[in-house]
Amino acid sequence: MNCGMNEDDQELLDAGPTAAPTMCRSEKPCAEATCSQSGGGNSSSACSSGRNCKAPASSCAHGDSDAQSLACMKCKAARAVVLVRQREPLCQACLEAGVSGKVRALKSNKLLLPNDCAAVAFSGGFSSQTLLCNLLGMRKTVTTPRKERGKIEFNLVVLHINEATAYGLSVDAADAHGRAVQAAARRCGAGGPSAAVLVVPLSDVFLFRDELLDRRQNAVQLPGDAADCGAFRKAGLDVAGQCDGQAAFEEVEAGQRESVGSGNQLESVEKTGKDEQEEQAREARLHELLQSVPDPTGREDLLRHLRNQLLAAVAAQLGANKVLRGDTATALAARVISETAKGRGYALPGEIQLLDAREVQRGQPAVLQPMREVTRKEAVFFCRLRGLQPVQLPYTEASSRRSINALAKSFVDGLQANLPSTLFTILRTAAALKSFPFNALEAVPRPNETPAPENTGPATESGTRDGCGQGVGQAGTGLAFPHSCMLCRAPLTPREQEVIAAAAALVAVGSLRIRSDPREENVVDASAAAKLLRPDGELVVGVHSNRSSTAACAATSAEADQREPAAAAPEEEEEEAHGDDLSAPFCSSCRSQILFTPEQSASIAGIPTALRGTRVSREQGCSGNAVGSKTFPLLPKCFRL
Amino acid sequence: MVRVHIEFSGGLELLFGNQKDHDVDVPVQDGQQGLTAGHLIAWARDNMLRERPELFVKGSTVRPGILVLINECDWELSGAAESLINDGDCVVFISTLHGG
């Protein structure tokens, strides 16, 4: 076999679904310059020159150029440039048509509707650029000619989470990377009033929701696109108002152009010293958080988790109801393997489907993965043939070499090289896992609509941006308790949900402290809480069960737990080493194994000290608490309801 | 000697002195008719690679996950490692190991 495969692989391939003849199947002399016989599989291996030559290409003296003039399998006319899937040669046009057809499945599945606002997660790599190009092509703007029907009017914001500092780059290098990503997005066609590009540093995950974008608008790094974002918000997300948006954008851009033209970006915006200090504090905190994870896999996963949180939070803040990610089939297949290896099979179905609506109840946007049928090779060639260069983070892979994720990725790649059906076999198998009802399309609210009645939270959409992201914390407006654990993304049992909802209600009520020590009967607090809760029989019962369950928790945990209301910031905090935060949406297995274990049993059990402790205090920053024990002010506020 | 323009993308350039484009003259192996891609890879590993060979090659061919283009065409269309490389060809190695 002359495709670079050895004999063992040849046998494997023969045994597989695609039988592999070594010659062009027709076995007729090719009279044409390009072999247009429909020998799908391995006709490439035969010399496809016009001469009657059946020798394998490598030893044929007819030269390389003849062998490359293989016709595209789909259109049979143009020259093939890439071999995809099960050895199908395709020309550029057919490749692009195939890829965009898959992204357009969004429309045919009614996942992207007119007047939606979509946030595109853009990393600057091949698959992000492919996704962006195709999405922009799907969009109907004011300039679209009438005859191009089938295009949808939706708004787009391109969102990049700048993780450069997390990989050890300096702030300046991170800024340069952010600018490079913006340039890449613009090359794909983004960057206008309804396709703004926004770069957000990962350390912003520590900001509270309402502060998220206000900071970025005044950011000094991105004068041009920060203005885009501002105009984007001002203009609103209504397509009909695009004219206003355009005017606002031009105004702002004109203003920015003057300052940018002066050559010094810093002149255009004031960034107060305090802002800068706080930003550095957040960066330091992020760094400490990542360093506290001892193993590379955990660190990568935590990074990924923070990135997703920030994406969802910023998108929600911008009023987007959908987040579009560019994960390719290759990436998803590797994730199936790695997540299974880590024991996260329960949460897997939600991760790999086209639509992930688990967080919608909390006011977060639904996550779509329109590239899940596109292989990474197709995405690379798509970009390459259009001349789009990827933006690469200038770091080496040294840190990721030993992680489970890297191992899964190289496993899938290695298998795929020999067996082209690997990817889709893995995905098809994983797709057999059914998703939960709350993770279905019906759960995603349309713009200007409140979500389905089962959700009690005010997860409003593009019309009123204030409600976004605030599911809980407003006394009297009801609660939106989560359906899945924050950490492992597995669904919560009804009992777990009950406990969390009750605890969250008590937090929302105000300055209450619940001691889970069964000896202390805080009767007054309980009844006050019960009064302020909704007169929903279930919740009142939940309060009682909360006490009993916390009593049970106290029995298992070595120390007494103390609750601190999230709302009462100026209150001085009890410096408790390991609080069991009952309102945090974690499943019981995460809670007991990873998060809230007391120090002694954890160190005995050898559980990594990362991710312990829940104290998140603005004042503390990254200095930990006053008590001598080792706490980690780790989890960002967005982890709470 | 065959003059080849080699380009590295997708993070591979870090292994080759942070340089994306290289113009090299590759000697043809004795006894061979022309320069095969496999031989080019071996030559690049021996003469151009600065560090971490296991990220570029695996055995006698590129590591799975690295795409090779010869004159903007998938090398699998022309025989993968057995493809012949002519004078003036442009060979691109793209690593897909980083996420997109």
Side-chain angles (χ1 to χ4, degrees):
Chain A
M1 198 59 191
N2 57 359
C3 285
M5 293 195 288
N6 58 30
E7 278 157 27
D8 295 335
D9 299 333
Q10 169 60 28
E11 282 166 7
L12 272 173
L13 202 56
D14 279 345
T18 54
T22 54
M23 297 291 174
C24 172
R25 278 199 205 127
S26 63
E27 297 219 77
K28 299 186 198 105
C30 306
E32 298 155 276
T34 60
C35 172
S36 59
Q37 311 287 348
S38 59
N42 289 303
S43 51
S44 57
S45 58
C47 170
S48 51
S49 66
R51 306 168 192 92
N52 181 9
C53 172
K54 285 195 195 149
S58 59
S59 55
C60 180
H62 292 134
D64 200 34
S65 51
D66 289 345
Q68 275 183 352
S69 53
L70 185 64
C72 166
M73 206 180 93
K74 287 225 168 98
C75 62
K76 309 238 188 320
R79 190 178 70 112
V81 291
V82 62
L83 204 65
V84 297
R85 303 298 165 111
Q86 319 256 21
R87 306 260 187 254
E88 301 166 7
L90 289 180
C91 65
Q92 177 179 4
C94 291
L95 171 72
E96 295 205 358
V99 171
S100 67
K102 295 191 181 91
V103 177
R104 270 170 217 275
L106 281 181
K107 173 171 171 272
S108 53
N109 287 343
K110 298 208 181 336
L111 287 169
L112 199 60
L113 296 162
N115 290 332
D116 269 350
C117 175
V120 181
F122 189 78
S123 69
F126 291 109
S127 29
S128 302
Q129 288 185 339
T130 308
L131 176 63
L132 188 58
C133 288
N134 282 307
L135 277 177
L136 289 170
M138 272 172 75
R139 213 159 58 113
K140 184 155 94 173
T141 62
V142 287
T143 57
T144 308
R146 195 168 208 176
K147 55 185 175 176
E148 277 186 29
R149 286 194 256 138
K151 297 207 175 187
I152 319 175
E153 298 174 358
F154 62 92
N155 279 310
L156 206 61
V157 59
V158 181
L159 209 47
H160 173 70
I161 307 291
N162 196 344
E163 305 174 17
T165 49
Y167 286 100
L169 266 67
S170 68
V171 177
D172 291 331
D175 288 349
H177 175 73
R179 278 193 291 275
V181 171
Q182 276 181 295
R186 284 212 197 82
R187 275 200 300 272
C188 295
S194 51
V197 183
L198 184 60
V199 177
V200 181
L202 186 59
S203 55
D204 273 9
V205 74
F206 293 113
L207 283 173
F208 297 100
R209 286 202 181 96
D210 44 355
E211 292 176 2
L212 263 175
L213 279 175
D214 297 327
R215 302 285 170 121
R216 286 305 120 203
Q217 287 198 36
N218 297 328
V220 76
Q221 297 103 312
L222 325 154
D225 282 326
D228 279 338
C229 170
F232 186 85
R233 290 181 81 191
K234 285 195 210 97
L237 305 162
D238 186 16
V239 172
Q242 222 175 35
C243 316
D244 299 329
Q246 189 118 21
F249 171 73
E250 280 167 11
E251 211 177 87
V252 177
E253 204 189 47
Q256 289 296 339
R257 218 176 285 130
E258 294 168 8
S259 44
V260 171
S262 71
N264 188 356
Q265 288 176 351
L266 290 168
E267 283 176 16
S268 61
V269 197
E270 334 78 63
K271 193 178 184 189
T272 65
K274 186 167 179 287
D275 278 346
E276 185 130 7
Q277 227 180 3
E278 288 185 359
E279 193 161 316
Q280 281 173 3
R282 284 198 302 275
E283 292 284 340
R285 190 169 160 194
L286 176 67
H287 184 76
E288 184 178 326
L289 174 57
L290 291 171
Q291 289 305 113
S292 67
V293 183
D295 66 306
T297 308
R299 204 175 301 132
E300 282 180 13
D301 286 350
L302 180 60
L303 257 179
R304 187 190 167 83
H305 208 122
L306 293 173
R307 188 194 325 145
N308 291 342
Q309 286 294 321
L310 188 56
L311 262 175
V314 175
Q317 193 69 14
L318 283 172
N321 63 334
K322 308 242 166 82
V323 171
L324 293 157
R325 297 163 53 93
D327 288 63
T328 53
T330 318
L332 284 177
R335 191 121 58 86
V336 170
I337 304 285
S338 65
E339 298 293 291
T340 309
K342 293 176 211 160
R344 293 188 199 154
Y346 204 25
L348 192 56
E351 302 269 330
I352 59 167
Q353 282 161 0
L354 187 50
L355 170 75
D356 178 4
R358 282 175 289 179
E359 301 294 321
V360 168
Q361 286 79 6
R362 289 176 60 237
Q364 307 268 4
V367 178
L368 296 172
Q369 302 190 92
M371 298 273 289
R372 66 186 292 276
E373 310 243 335
V374 178
T375 63
R376 186 169 280 148
K377 181 171 180 182
E378 289 173 326
V380 169
F381 271 87
F382 185 97
C383 292
R384 185 82 203 174
L385 294 169
R386 282 201 180 189
L388 296 169
Q389 294 285 340
V391 178
Q392 219 60 55
L393 263 180
Y395 66 96
T396 63
E397 284 183 61
S399 58
S400 61
R401 210 161 49 139
R402 293 188 326 267
S403 74
I404 294 179
N405 305 321
L407 198 61
K409 170 102 187 29
S410 63
F411 171 70
V412 168
D413 280 342
L415 212 55
Q416 175 75 7
N418 297 328
L419 279 177
S421 55
T422 302
L423 277 188
F424 294 99
T425 306
I426 295 178
L427 287 176
R428 216 172 28 239
T429 309
L433 299 165
K434 294 278 177 269
S435 60
F436 290 90
F438 57 80
N439 195 12
L441 179 57
E442 291 72 34
V444 181
R446 289 293 332 284
N448 304 320
E449 225 181 60
T450 50
E454 62 152 340
N455 165 34
T456 52
T460 54
E461 292 311 320
S462 49
T464 54
R465 220 167 287 116
D466 301 319
C468 253
Q470 292 178 23
V472 154
Q474 301 165 14
T477 56
L479 308 164
F481 42 83
H483 284 260
S484 43
C485 169
M486 248 340 222
L487 199 60
C488 67
R489 312 299 298 281
L492 296 169
T493 65
R495 172 56 183 259
E496 286 169 350
Q497 286 183 9
E498 209 176 72
V499 171
I500 291 173
L506 295 168
V507 168
V509 154
S511 52
L512 289 175
R513 288 180 193 221
I514 305 295
R515 287 183 176 275
S516 62
D517 191 341
R519 288 178 300 233
E520 261 197 35
E521 285 283 72
N522 221 336
V523 178
V524 175
D525 287 345
S527 61
K531 264 190 245 151
L532 289 166
L533 285 174
R534 290 195 326 170
D536 182 350
E538 217 171 319
L539 279 176
V540 172
V541 167
V543 174
H544 292 302
S545 71
N546 181 33
R547 274 211 307 233
S548 55
S549 65
T550 54
C553 284
T556 55
S557 74
E559 295 144 84
D561 298 330
Q562 265 195 2
R563 286 293 331 285
E564 194 60 43
E571 263 195 26
E572 72 162 328
E573 292 198 341
E574 300 265 347
E575 309 292 17
E576 191 56 54
H578 313 285
D580 193 351
D581 189 350
L582 288 169
S583 75
F586 298 112
C587 66
S588 50
S589 81
C590 282
R591 200 180 283 276
S592 61
Q593 289 175 18
I594 300 173
L595 290 167
F596 303 111
T597 329
E599 181 98 47
Q600 301 93 315
S601 61
S603 53
I604 290 170
I607 293 173
T609 56
L611 297 182
R612 268 194 266 145
T614 63
R615 206 62 43 172
V616 175
S617 155
R618 272 199 246 193
E619 289 84 2
Q620 281 181 349
C622 48
S623 55
N625 60 25
V627 181
S629 61
K630 233 168 116 189
T631 45
F632 299 89
L634 297 179
L635 299 176
K637 190 74 177 174
C638 58
F639 273 32
R640 293 167 176 266
L641 285 174
Chain B
M1 299 285 276
V2 179
R3 180 140 197 106
V4 189
H5 176 88
I6 303 183
E7 193 184 320
F8 296 104
S9 179
L12 273 183
E13 62 268 20
L14 294 168
L15 304 177
F16 291 87
N18 237 325
Q19 195 186 340
K20 278 194 156 176
D21 297 293
H22 302 254
D23 283 296
V24 289
D25 287 307
V26 187
V28 182
Q29 219 174 15
D30 302 326
Q32 294 282 334
Q33 280 176 315
L35 179 65
T36 59
H39 180 62
L40 174 67
I41 291 165
W43 185 89
R45 180 198 62 210
D46 296 331
N47 297 305
M48 294 172 66
L49 193 61
R50 302 287 174 88
E51 52 179 330
R52 311 275 296 280
E54 71 275 7
L55 288 181
F56 181 54
V57 290
K58 180 176 164 188
S60 59
T61 183
V62 281
R63 183 185 169 181
I66 295 185
L67 301 176
V68 184
L69 282 78
I70 302 174
N71 295 330
E72 303 297 321
C73 262
D74 192 358
W75 75 334
E76 294 196 23
L77 287 172
S78 50
E82 303 295 323
S83 325
L84 285 171
I85 299 180
N86 299 319
D87 211 31
D89 276 353
C90 176
V91 180
V92 186
F93 295 99
I94 305 179
S95 166
T96 61
L97 299 171
H98 290 308

